[in-house]
Amino acid sequence: MALHSTAFCFSGVVSLPRNSVCFSQRTVRASAFSCPPLSSISRSNVQGKAFAGDALLDTKESSLVVCFGEMLIDFVPTASGLSLAEAPAFKKAAGGAPANVAVGIARLGGSSAFIGKVGEDEFGYMLADILKENNVNSEGMRFDPGARTALAFVTLRSDGEREFMFYRNPSADMLLQEAELDFDLIRKAKILHYGSISLITEPCKSAHIAAAKAAKDAGVVLSYDPNLRLPLWPSAKSAREGILSIWETADVIKISEEEISFLTEGEDPYDENVVRKLYHPNLKLLLVTEGPDGCRYYTKEFSGRVKGMKVDAVDTTGAGDAFVAGILSQLAVDLSLLQEEGKLRDALLFANACGALTVTERGAIPALPTREAVLNVMLKSVA
């Protein structure tokens, strides 16, 4: 059901819930190769063919990444630089950061699953089909008969940056309950990945906390991308407190420069001392994304920066999620990346390339790259 490539034209009034919210966000795309670890992405290895990750894994189960949270429909305008009212048409695309990451990992050849809730409606069924088409385990997906699947209309500036108008009244993703969680799926994961939007309202907040606790107790690595969407929170204070309320349980955290400034109440995100304030004692890896400039990484033993890849941005939706998919697809098959700086840097080069490729197409999930595409663009960059 390839509905995510359809273009819609709106000439009349759209009948949607009245309480819409404007905010910024991102998106992804998928495929199925057999994943992963990049033992080395040096110039010689890219030009040659020596990738440890090109071999099949003995068991996909051992590298399962379970992504918890929201999945929704993004309506992306077919023309950039226009307001929502001026846009002539919209292309619908599956989105929602945790779902984007799940599809991104599967498209890179990894093993992933999604846990979340959508409406028992046409869009909900469409999203479930997209997960299946992209080889994402959807056993943990639930359908709500009384709430609609969330929708987000996106404005694209001429530089590819975007803002969202989000419809949830409430949307189904907000209504996931602890009793609906697939705990067996959570416990057999290598990594559980989540954001902070699922912490905003009950009952999803309690479901989120229960899922993370079950994973932690089972020895699963916890990965956290706060993915700040300030207008969805009651206030900036509640957003800051909510995001930080689960900060110290995460093993891996990915944040942006803007999120550092927000969480530290305006401090300089480029100041190493400021960033280190966010490094809690149990954290194994802190990643700071810098868009086209690449990323910074921090562990207890080492830190550094990995350059990005320059591309012509069409739509930045999903770039951060593609980056997360890139690094988690590597960590899931080789946790020694957390201790070996050289291997971590290679994996981050791969993740940066994932993010860069995603911004060259519109939409999140539709734009997520395959492993083959990432390796090809990396080869070209060192040629």
Side-chain angles (χ1 to χ4, degrees):
M1 198 163 138
L3 296 179
H4 44 294
S5 61
T6 304
F8 284 155
C9 293
F10 294 87
S11 56
V13 176
V14 181
S15 177
L16 290 167
R18 293 179 58 84
N19 60 331
S20 64
V21 182
C22 292
F23 71 107
S24 301
Q25 165 167 314
R26 18 190 173 181
T27 339
V28 183
R29 169 168 172 172
S31 157
F33 292 115
S34 201
C35 186
L38 294 176
S39 78
S40 180
I41 306 183
S42 64
R43 177 180 296 259
S44 59
N45 274 343
V46 174
Q47 290 177 326
K49 295 180 284 195
F51 280 94
D54 291 336
L56 292 173
L57 299 176
D58 291 333
T59 167
K60 297 281 281 185
E61 206 79 316
S62 67
S63 61
L64 177 66
V65 179
V66 173
C67 300
F68 174 96
E70 68 278 5
M71 189 173 192
L72 50 92
I73 304 290
D74 291 331
F75 285 92
V76 185
T78 55
S80 300
L82 299 175
S83 68
L84 289 178
E86 295 169 330
F90 294 85
K91 177 183 175 182
K92 75 175 182 296
N100 292 343
V101 173
V103 174
I105 289 169
R107 195 159 285 170
L108 293 169
S111 176
S112 66
F114 175 74
I115 291 179
K117 203 172 195 181
V118 294
E120 196 174 278
D121 52 39
E122 284 299 308
F123 284 144
Y125 296 133
M126 167 190 157
L127 294 176
D129 284 345
I130 288 173
L131 290 180
K132 291 173 186 173
E133 288 168 6
N134 288 288
N135 298 318
V136 175
N137 181 323
S138 60
E139 292 173 9
M141 195 173 196
R142 303 291 178 257
F143 295 84
D144 195 298
R148 296 297 189 191
T149 301
L151 307 179
F153 286 79
V154 189
T155 56
L156 289 178
R157 300 202 311 249
S158 56
D159 62 358
E161 288 296 335
R162 68 272 177 270
E163 292 181 348
F164 279 38
M165 181 175 287
F166 204 93
Y167 290 83
R168 48 187 355 220
N169 190 33
S171 52
D173 60 283
M174 302 162 66
L175 303 177
L176 181 67
Q177 301 181 46
E178 180 178 345
E180 296 175 300
L181 294 175
D182 186 335
F183 285 105
D184 288 339
L185 183 62
I186 291 169
R187 292 187 184 103
K188 70 182 181 183
K190 174 70 73 68
I191 299 172
L192 176 70
H193 176 72
Y194 47 82
S196 69
I197 290 175
S198 48
L199 294 170
I200 297 174
T201 57
E202 293 288 2
C204 191
K205 178 180 178 180
S206 292
H208 178 136
I209 293 170
K213 183 180 186 304
K216 196 76 168 179
D217 290 347
V220 177
V221 173
L222 300 187
S223 167
Y224 184 25
D225 176 2
N227 196 33
L228 176 65
R229 297 292 174 257
L230 191 54
L232 292 180
W233 293 84
S235 66
K237 182 174 183 289
S238 65
R240 192 174 292 109
E241 291 175 351
I243 289 171
L244 292 175
S245 68
I246 60 168
W247 196 261
E248 296 195 2
T249 63
D251 299 298
V252 177
I253 297 176
K254 173 260 172 189
I255 49 174
S256 67
E257 302 154 278
E258 295 81 6
E259 287 164 342
I260 293 174
S261 294
F262 175 76
L263 293 174
T264 59
E265 301 190 58
E267 293 192 55
D268 182 3
Y270 298 99
D271 185 329
E272 298 294 294
N273 293 323
V274 170
V275 177
R276 282 290 180 181
K277 289 180 184 178
L278 295 173
Y279 197 99
H280 66 76
N282 299 316
L283 192 60
K284 297 179 176 65
L285 177 64
L286 176 64
L287 296 169
V288 180
T289 52
E290 300 180 334
D293 295 325
C295 66
R296 284 176 277 162
Y297 58 90
Y298 301 83
T299 72
K300 286 176 183 160
E301 288 79 30
F302 50 78
S303 62
R305 173 181 268 104
V306 176
K307 68 178 182 178
M309 185 173 292
K310 304 298 182 184
V311 295
D312 293 326
V314 173
D315 178 7
T316 58
T317 302
D321 301 328
F323 172 88
V324 172
I327 189 61
L328 293 187
S329 70
Q330 304 307 309
L331 276 174
V333 293
D334 188 4
L335 286 175
S336 73
L337 296 176
L338 298 172
Q339 286 83 42
E340 298 182 39
E341 186 173 8
K343 292 170 71 173
L344 177 62
R345 289 182 63 86
D346 286 342
L348 290 172
L349 273 174
F350 180 86
N352 284 343
C354 291
L357 275 176
T358 300
V359 307
T360 62
E361 295 186 36
R362 294 183 189 277
I365 284 178
L368 293 174
T370 63
R371 178 176 173 82
E372 181 180 41
V374 175
L375 295 181
N376 284 341
V377 78
M378 293 178 71
L379 178 63
K380 289 177 183 176
S381 73
V382 298

